[in-house]
Amino acid sequence: MKQERPHLDFLQRFSVVASWLGGVIVLASAIAISFDVLTRNMLGKTYLQSFELSQYGFAIAVAFGLSAGVVGRDHIRIDVLANVIPKNVRRILHFISIISLVIISALLAYFAVELTIDSYNRGARSPTSLRLYTWIPQAVWALGLCIFAMVSVWTLIKSVRCLVRKDYKSCDSLIGFQGSNDN
């Protein structure tokens, strides 16, 4: 089968796998919550502490899904006028978009890692019956945000290389939005 987007490399493929992992976490959370609801109604007691674990799980799932949004060009764009403005202006706006995404993702990753280190150094625990060390889910969450930042930076680097080579079609397939008429 011919690959539709040949520029996908290891880091970008890994982000797709990470998003699937996020989906598995959401599914596992739904199963755990369902189990706890059933046991609470039938036995009067919960066993999995699914409320706390699903909160961590959802944050991790979102963090792991963000990088796939970069690869799939799924992040929100205001595309009402996008097909009306000239291609060169559109490309400039796409570059502003990816540069903004790199800055935001880097800041999110930085502060997530900083929070994780601080929680580890303080020995912080959740204020629930699980008393889970908060740095454990925070580290997984921070990993997802670091992957998001790396994929964003790598996408910017690849798109700049395409621009330098004047390969506008590849550049558009990297950072343009899916519904564009750039080709």
Side-chain angles (χ1 to χ4, degrees):
M1 183 173 171
K2 186 179 176 185
Q3 188 175 358
E4 186 177 312
R5 297 179 68 204
H7 61 273
L8 292 180
D9 56 17
F10 172 75
L11 190 58
Q12 292 169 315
R13 286 187 184 111
F14 181 75
S15 70
V16 173
V17 171
S19 74
W20 276 92
L21 176 63
V24 168
I25 291 170
V26 170
L27 180 62
S29 294
I31 292 169
I33 290 168
S34 298
F35 179 79
D36 268 357
V37 167
L38 288 174
T39 58
R40 186 180 324 120
N41 287 331
M42 295 168 60
L43 305 174
K45 185 176 179 183
T46 62
Y47 292 94
L48 299 178
Q49 300 297 326
S50 63
F51 181 70
E52 178 179 359
L53 295 176
S54 65
Q55 288 177 332
Y56 298 133
F58 287 134
I60 291 166
V62 168
F64 274 78
L66 289 171
S67 60
V70 175
V71 173
R73 301 174 297 156
D74 296 326
H75 290 282
I76 297 172
R77 305 276 177 100
I78 301 172
D79 59 353
V80 175
L81 300 174
N83 287 323
V84 184
I85 60 176
K87 286 182 185 179
N88 290 336
V89 174
R90 198 174 331 153
R91 285 189 184 105
I92 291 168
L93 293 175
H94 291 323
F95 267 98
I96 291 170
S97 172
I98 191 66
I99 290 167
S100 299
L101 197 61
V102 165
I103 292 167
I104 290 168
S105 64
L107 287 170
L108 284 171
Y110 172 79
F111 286 113
V113 169
E114 189 176 89
L115 176 68
T116 302
I117 292 169
D118 185 53
S119 293
Y120 178 80
N121 288 338
R122 292 174 185 255
R125 290 181 175 261
S126 63
T128 63
S129 60
L130 280 181
R131 302 280 300 146
L132 184 68
Y133 284 107
T134 57
W135 68 266
I136 296 169
Q138 287 171 350
V140 181
W141 170 68
L143 174 64
L145 292 174
C146 287
I147 293 168
F148 172 45
M150 289 187 298
V151 169
S152 298
V153 168
W154 187 240
T155 302
L156 175 62
I157 290 168
K158 289 184 81 164
S159 60
V160 167
R161 287 194 318 206
C162 289
L163 188 65
V164 168
R165 289 190 322 255
K166 298 185 184 202
D167 182 2
Y168 301 122
K169 186 174 182 180
S170 293
C171 186
D172 292 339
S173 75
L174 279 166
I175 62 172
F177 69 95
Q178 286 185 358
S180 68
N181 294 329
D182 289 338
N183 301 329

PDB file of all heavy atoms in Angstrom, residues 77-91 93-94 176-182:
ATOM      1  N   ARG A  77      -7.908  25.436  13.482  1.00  0.00           N
ATOM      2  CA  ARG A  77      -7.533  26.575  12.641  1.00  0.00           C
ATOM      3  C   ARG A  77      -8.807  27.329  12.306  1.00  0.00           C
ATOM      4  O   ARG A  77      -9.880  26.745  12.182  1.00  0.00           O
ATOM      5  CB  ARG A  77      -6.889  26.121  11.324  1.00  0.00           C
ATOM      6  CG  ARG A  77      -5.704  25.222  11.458  1.00  0.00           C
ATOM      7  CD  ARG A  77      -4.450  26.044  11.687  1.00  0.00           C
ATOM      8  NE  ARG A  77      -3.315  25.178  11.892  1.00  0.00           N
ATOM      9  CZ  ARG A  77      -2.424  24.879  10.969  1.00  0.00           C
ATOM     10  NH1 ARG A  77      -2.524  25.357   9.767  1.00  0.00           N
ATOM     11  NH2 ARG A  77      -1.399  24.115  11.257  1.00  0.00           N
ATOM     12  N   ILE A  78      -8.677  28.603  12.115  1.00  0.00           N
ATOM     13  CA  ILE A  78      -9.812  29.398  11.653  1.00  0.00           C
ATOM     14  C   ILE A  78      -9.746  29.379  10.135  1.00  0.00           C
ATOM     15  O   ILE A  78      -8.954  30.064   9.519  1.00  0.00           O
ATOM     16  CB  ILE A  78      -9.751  30.830  12.209  1.00  0.00           C
ATOM     17  CG1 ILE A  78      -9.738  30.781  13.728  1.00  0.00           C
ATOM     18  CG2 ILE A  78     -10.922  31.649  11.685  1.00  0.00           C
ATOM     19  CD1 ILE A  78      -9.491  32.105  14.388  1.00  0.00           C
ATOM     20  N   ASP A  79     -10.566  28.530   9.539  1.00  0.00           N
ATOM     21  CA  ASP A  79     -10.437  28.298   8.103  1.00  0.00           C
ATOM     22  C   ASP A  79     -11.562  28.900   7.270  1.00  0.00           C
ATOM     23  O   ASP A  79     -11.722  28.568   6.113  1.00  0.00           O
ATOM     24  CB  ASP A  79     -10.323  26.805   7.814  1.00  0.00           C
ATOM     25  CG  ASP A  79     -11.510  26.007   8.302  1.00  0.00           C
ATOM     26  OD1 ASP A  79     -12.364  26.586   8.985  1.00  0.00           O
ATOM     27  OD2 ASP A  79     -11.579  24.810   7.987  1.00  0.00           O
ATOM     28  N   VAL A  80     -12.315  29.832   7.844  1.00  0.00           N
ATOM     29  CA  VAL A  80     -13.418  30.439   7.113  1.00  0.00           C
ATOM     30  C   VAL A  80     -12.903  31.147   5.861  1.00  0.00           C
ATOM     31  O   VAL A  80     -13.468  31.018   4.776  1.00  0.00           O
ATOM     32  CB  VAL A  80     -14.195  31.426   8.022  1.00  0.00           C
ATOM     33  CG1 VAL A  80     -15.262  32.154   7.240  1.00  0.00           C
ATOM     34  CG2 VAL A  80     -14.788  30.695   9.206  1.00  0.00           C
ATOM     35  N   LEU A  81     -11.809  31.888   5.995  1.00  0.00           N
ATOM     36  CA  LEU A  81     -11.255  32.638   4.870  1.00  0.00           C
ATOM     37  C   LEU A  81     -10.028  31.969   4.257  1.00  0.00           C
ATOM     38  O   LEU A  81      -9.463  32.489   3.294  1.00  0.00           O
ATOM     39  CB  LEU A  81     -10.878  34.055   5.316  1.00  0.00           C
ATOM     40  CG  LEU A  81     -12.018  34.912   5.857  1.00  0.00           C
ATOM     41  CD1 LEU A  81     -11.486  36.223   6.403  1.00  0.00           C
ATOM     42  CD2 LEU A  81     -13.048  35.160   4.776  1.00  0.00           C
ATOM     43  N   ALA A  82      -9.626  30.839   4.797  1.00  0.00           N
ATOM     44  CA  ALA A  82      -8.353  30.235   4.406  1.00  0.00           C
ATOM     45  C   ALA A  82      -8.246  29.933   2.918  1.00  0.00           C
ATOM     46  O   ALA A  82      -7.202  30.146   2.312  1.00  0.00           O
ATOM     47  CB  ALA A  82      -8.102  28.968   5.206  1.00  0.00           C
ATOM     48  N   ASN A  83      -9.302  29.442   2.316  1.00  0.00           N
ATOM     49  CA  ASN A  83      -9.242  29.113   0.893  1.00  0.00           C
ATOM     50  C   ASN A  83      -9.443  30.332  -0.006  1.00  0.00           C
ATOM     51  O   ASN A  83      -9.342  30.225  -1.225  1.00  0.00           O
ATOM     52  CB  ASN A  83     -10.252  28.022   0.545  1.00  0.00           C
ATOM     53  CG  ASN A  83      -9.806  26.682   1.076  1.00  0.00           C
ATOM     54  OD1 ASN A  83      -8.619  26.371   1.080  1.00  0.00           O
ATOM     55  ND2 ASN A  83     -10.751  25.884   1.531  1.00  0.00           N
ATOM     56  N   VAL A  84      -9.719  31.468   0.592  1.00  0.00           N
ATOM     57  CA  VAL A  84      -9.924  32.691  -0.181  1.00  0.00           C
ATOM     58  C   VAL A  84      -8.645  33.522  -0.252  1.00  0.00           C
ATOM     59  O   VAL A  84      -8.405  34.215  -1.241  1.00  0.00           O
ATOM     60  CB  VAL A  84     -11.078  33.526   0.436  1.00  0.00           C
ATOM     61  CG1 VAL A  84     -11.368  34.751  -0.392  1.00  0.00           C
ATOM     62  CG2 VAL A  84     -12.321  32.672   0.596  1.00  0.00           C
ATOM     63  N   ILE A  85      -7.817  33.440   0.793  1.00  0.00           N
ATOM     64  CA  ILE A  85      -6.592  34.251   0.803  1.00  0.00           C
ATOM     65  C   ILE A  85      -5.526  33.598  -0.079  1.00  0.00           C
ATOM     66  O   ILE A  85      -5.543  32.384  -0.291  1.00  0.00           O
ATOM     67  CB  ILE A  85      -6.066  34.467   2.245  1.00  0.00           C
ATOM     68  CG1 ILE A  85      -5.730  33.139   2.928  1.00  0.00           C
ATOM     69  CG2 ILE A  85      -7.050  35.252   3.068  1.00  0.00           C
ATOM     70  CD1 ILE A  85      -5.135  33.289   4.300  1.00  0.00           C
ATOM     71  N   PRO A  86      -4.587  34.383  -0.590  1.00  0.00           N
ATOM     72  CA  PRO A  86      -3.544  33.844  -1.469  1.00  0.00           C
ATOM     73  C   PRO A  86      -2.675  32.787  -0.767  1.00  0.00           C
ATOM     74  O   PRO A  86      -2.464  32.849   0.441  1.00  0.00           O
ATOM     75  CB  PRO A  86      -2.706  35.072  -1.837  1.00  0.00           C
ATOM     76  CG  PRO A  86      -3.578  36.247  -1.538  1.00  0.00           C
ATOM     77  CD  PRO A  86      -4.502  35.825  -0.440  1.00  0.00           C
ATOM     78  N   LYS A  87      -2.159  31.845  -1.559  1.00  0.00           N
ATOM     79  CA  LYS A  87      -1.364  30.735  -1.008  1.00  0.00           C
ATOM     80  C   LYS A  87      -0.157  31.224  -0.225  1.00  0.00           C
ATOM     81  O   LYS A  87       0.171  30.671   0.822  1.00  0.00           O
ATOM     82  CB  LYS A  87      -0.904  29.804  -2.130  1.00  0.00           C
ATOM     83  CG  LYS A  87      -1.985  28.948  -2.684  1.00  0.00           C
ATOM     84  CD  LYS A  87      -1.428  28.024  -3.743  1.00  0.00           C
ATOM     85  CE  LYS A  87      -2.552  27.235  -4.389  1.00  0.00           C
ATOM     86  NZ  LYS A  87      -2.058  26.344  -5.428  1.00  0.00           N
ATOM     87  N   ASN A  88       0.541  32.236  -0.707  1.00  0.00           N
ATOM     88  CA  ASN A  88       1.736  32.720  -0.006  1.00  0.00           C
ATOM     89  C   ASN A  88       1.382  33.296   1.360  1.00  0.00           C
ATOM     90  O   ASN A  88       2.108  33.086   2.335  1.00  0.00           O
ATOM     91  CB  ASN A  88       2.478  33.741  -0.859  1.00  0.00           C
ATOM     92  CG  ASN A  88       3.130  33.103  -2.059  1.00  0.00           C
ATOM     93  OD1 ASN A  88       3.412  31.903  -2.054  1.00  0.00           O
ATOM     94  ND2 ASN A  88       3.351  33.884  -3.106  1.00  0.00           N
ATOM     95  N   VAL A  89       0.287  34.029   1.437  1.00  0.00           N
ATOM     96  CA  VAL A  89      -0.168  34.567   2.721  1.00  0.00           C
ATOM     97  C   VAL A  89      -0.575  33.412   3.633  1.00  0.00           C
ATOM     98  O   VAL A  89      -0.257  33.412   4.825  1.00  0.00           O
ATOM     99  CB  VAL A  89      -1.335  35.559   2.518  1.00  0.00           C
ATOM    100  CG1 VAL A  89      -1.904  36.008   3.856  1.00  0.00           C
ATOM    101  CG2 VAL A  89      -0.888  36.751   1.690  1.00  0.00           C
ATOM    102  N   ARG A  90      -1.243  32.436   3.060  1.00  0.00           N
ATOM    103  CA  ARG A  90      -1.662  31.263   3.825  1.00  0.00           C
ATOM    104  C   ARG A  90      -0.444  30.535   4.395  1.00  0.00           C
ATOM    105  O   ARG A  90      -0.458  30.110   5.545  1.00  0.00           O
ATOM    106  CB  ARG A  90      -2.470  30.338   2.913  1.00  0.00           C
ATOM    107  CG  ARG A  90      -3.287  29.345   3.657  1.00  0.00           C
ATOM    108  CD  ARG A  90      -4.187  28.527   2.767  1.00  0.00           C
ATOM    109  NE  ARG A  90      -4.589  29.239   1.566  1.00  0.00           N
ATOM    110  CZ  ARG A  90      -4.915  28.648   0.429  1.00  0.00           C
ATOM    111  NH1 ARG A  90      -4.895  27.337   0.344  1.00  0.00           N
ATOM    112  NH2 ARG A  90      -5.273  29.336  -0.625  1.00  0.00           N
ATOM    113  N   ARG A  91       0.597  30.387   3.590  1.00  0.00           N
ATOM    114  CA  ARG A  91       1.814  29.718   4.078  1.00  0.00           C
ATOM    115  C   ARG A  91       2.456  30.493   5.220  1.00  0.00           C
ATOM    116  O   ARG A  91       2.954  29.891   6.177  1.00  0.00           O
ATOM    117  CB  ARG A  91       2.805  29.533   2.937  1.00  0.00           C
ATOM    118  CG  ARG A  91       2.408  28.431   2.010  1.00  0.00           C
ATOM    119  CD  ARG A  91       3.487  28.092   1.007  1.00  0.00           C
ATOM    120  NE  ARG A  91       2.959  27.091   0.105  1.00  0.00           N
ATOM    121  CZ  ARG A  91       2.583  27.334  -1.153  1.00  0.00           C
ATOM    122  NH1 ARG A  91       2.719  28.542  -1.661  1.00  0.00           N
ATOM    123  NH2 ARG A  91       2.095  26.375  -1.890  1.00  0.00           N
ATOM    124  N   LEU A  93       0.873  32.355   7.351  1.00  0.00           N
ATOM    125  CA  LEU A  93       0.012  32.101   8.508  1.00  0.00           C
ATOM    126  C   LEU A  93       0.235  30.697   9.076  1.00  0.00           C
ATOM    127  O   LEU A  93       0.214  30.509  10.300  1.00  0.00           O
ATOM    128  CB  LEU A  93      -1.458  32.302   8.128  1.00  0.00           C
ATOM    129  CG  LEU A  93      -1.848  33.746   7.783  1.00  0.00           C
ATOM    130  CD1 LEU A  93      -3.292  33.800   7.292  1.00  0.00           C
ATOM    131  CD2 LEU A  93      -1.645  34.659   8.973  1.00  0.00           C
ATOM    132  N   HIS A  94       0.471  29.715   8.201  1.00  0.00           N
ATOM    133  CA  HIS A  94       0.779  28.369   8.674  1.00  0.00           C
ATOM    134  C   HIS A  94       2.081  28.365   9.476  1.00  0.00           C
ATOM    135  O   HIS A  94       2.181  27.688  10.504  1.00  0.00           O
ATOM    136  CB  HIS A  94       0.884  27.384   7.511  1.00  0.00           C
ATOM    137  CG  HIS A  94      -0.413  27.091   6.828  1.00  0.00           C
ATOM    138  ND1 HIS A  94      -1.614  26.991   7.481  1.00  0.00           N
ATOM    139  CD2 HIS A  94      -0.696  26.873   5.521  1.00  0.00           C
ATOM    140  CE1 HIS A  94      -2.579  26.725   6.629  1.00  0.00           C
ATOM    141  NE2 HIS A  94      -2.050  26.655   5.416  1.00  0.00           N
ATOM    142  N   GLY A 176       0.122  22.811   6.641  1.00  0.00           N
ATOM    143  CA  GLY A 176      -1.148  23.354   6.176  1.00  0.00           C
ATOM    144  C   GLY A 176      -2.296  22.628   6.853  1.00  0.00           C
ATOM    145  O   GLY A 176      -2.113  21.585   7.469  1.00  0.00           O
ATOM    146  N   PHE A 177      -3.470  23.186   6.758  1.00  0.00           N
ATOM    147  CA  PHE A 177      -4.600  22.484   7.363  1.00  0.00           C
ATOM    148  C   PHE A 177      -5.188  21.503   6.365  1.00  0.00           C
ATOM    149  O   PHE A 177      -4.985  21.626   5.160  1.00  0.00           O
ATOM    150  CB  PHE A 177      -5.643  23.459   7.918  1.00  0.00           C
ATOM    151  CG  PHE A 177      -6.401  24.241   6.896  1.00  0.00           C
ATOM    152  CD1 PHE A 177      -7.623  23.805   6.447  1.00  0.00           C
ATOM    153  CD2 PHE A 177      -5.888  25.419   6.378  1.00  0.00           C
ATOM    154  CE1 PHE A 177      -8.325  24.518   5.503  1.00  0.00           C
ATOM    155  CE2 PHE A 177      -6.575  26.144   5.448  1.00  0.00           C
ATOM    156  CZ  PHE A 177      -7.802  25.696   4.985  1.00  0.00           C
ATOM    157  N   GLN A 178      -5.902  20.522   6.876  1.00  0.00           N
ATOM    158  CA  GLN A 178      -6.362  19.410   6.028  1.00  0.00           C
ATOM    159  C   GLN A 178      -7.309  19.828   4.921  1.00  0.00           C
ATOM    160  O   GLN A 178      -7.291  19.273   3.857  1.00  0.00           O
ATOM    161  CB  GLN A 178      -7.050  18.348   6.888  1.00  0.00           C
ATOM    162  CG  GLN A 178      -6.104  17.536   7.690  1.00  0.00           C
ATOM    163  CD  GLN A 178      -6.812  16.417   8.422  1.00  0.00           C
ATOM    164  OE1 GLN A 178      -8.020  16.263   8.359  1.00  0.00           O
ATOM    165  NE2 GLN A 178      -6.046  15.647   9.159  1.00  0.00           N
ATOM    166  N   GLY A 179      -8.128  20.815   5.160  1.00  0.00           N
ATOM    167  CA  GLY A 179      -9.137  21.195   4.175  1.00  0.00           C
ATOM    168  C   GLY A 179      -8.670  22.226   3.170  1.00  0.00           C
ATOM    169  O   GLY A 179      -9.459  22.747   2.402  1.00  0.00           O
ATOM    170  N   SER A 180      -7.351  22.510   3.147  1.00  0.00           N
ATOM    171  CA  SER A 180      -6.880  23.578   2.266  1.00  0.00           C
ATOM    172  C   SER A 180      -6.829  23.124   0.814  1.00  0.00           C
ATOM    173  O   SER A 180      -6.731  21.952   0.513  1.00  0.00           O
ATOM    174  CB  SER A 180      -5.502  24.056   2.705  1.00  0.00           C
ATOM    175  OG  SER A 180      -4.547  23.056   2.499  1.00  0.00           O
ATOM    176  N   ASN A 181      -6.850  24.093  -0.073  1.00  0.00           N
ATOM    177  CA  ASN A 181      -6.718  23.839  -1.492  1.00  0.00           C
ATOM    178  C   ASN A 181      -5.333  24.254  -1.963  1.00  0.00           C
ATOM    179  O   ASN A 181      -5.174  24.861  -2.998  1.00  0.00           O
ATOM    180  CB  ASN A 181      -7.782  24.638  -2.287  1.00  0.00           C
ATOM    181  CG  ASN A 181      -9.179  24.151  -1.985  1.00  0.00           C
ATOM    182  OD1 ASN A 181      -9.376  22.976  -1.698  1.00  0.00           O
ATOM    183  ND2 ASN A 181     -10.140  25.043  -2.048  1.00  0.00           N
ATOM    184  N   ASP A 182      -4.313  23.936  -1.190  1.00  0.00           N
ATOM    185  CA  ASP A 182      -2.954  24.362  -1.492  1.00  0.00           C
ATOM    186  C   ASP A 182      -2.347  23.617  -2.649  1.00  0.00           C
ATOM    187  O   ASP A 182      -1.392  24.053  -3.253  1.00  0.00           O
ATOM    188  CB  ASP A 182      -2.035  24.195  -0.264  1.00  0.00           C
ATOM    189  CG  ASP A 182      -2.357  25.202   0.819  1.00  0.00           C
ATOM    190  OD1 ASP A 182      -2.963  26.245   0.485  1.00  0.00           O
ATOM    191  OD2 ASP A 182      -2.007  24.956   1.972  1.00  0.00           O
TER     192      ASP A 182
END
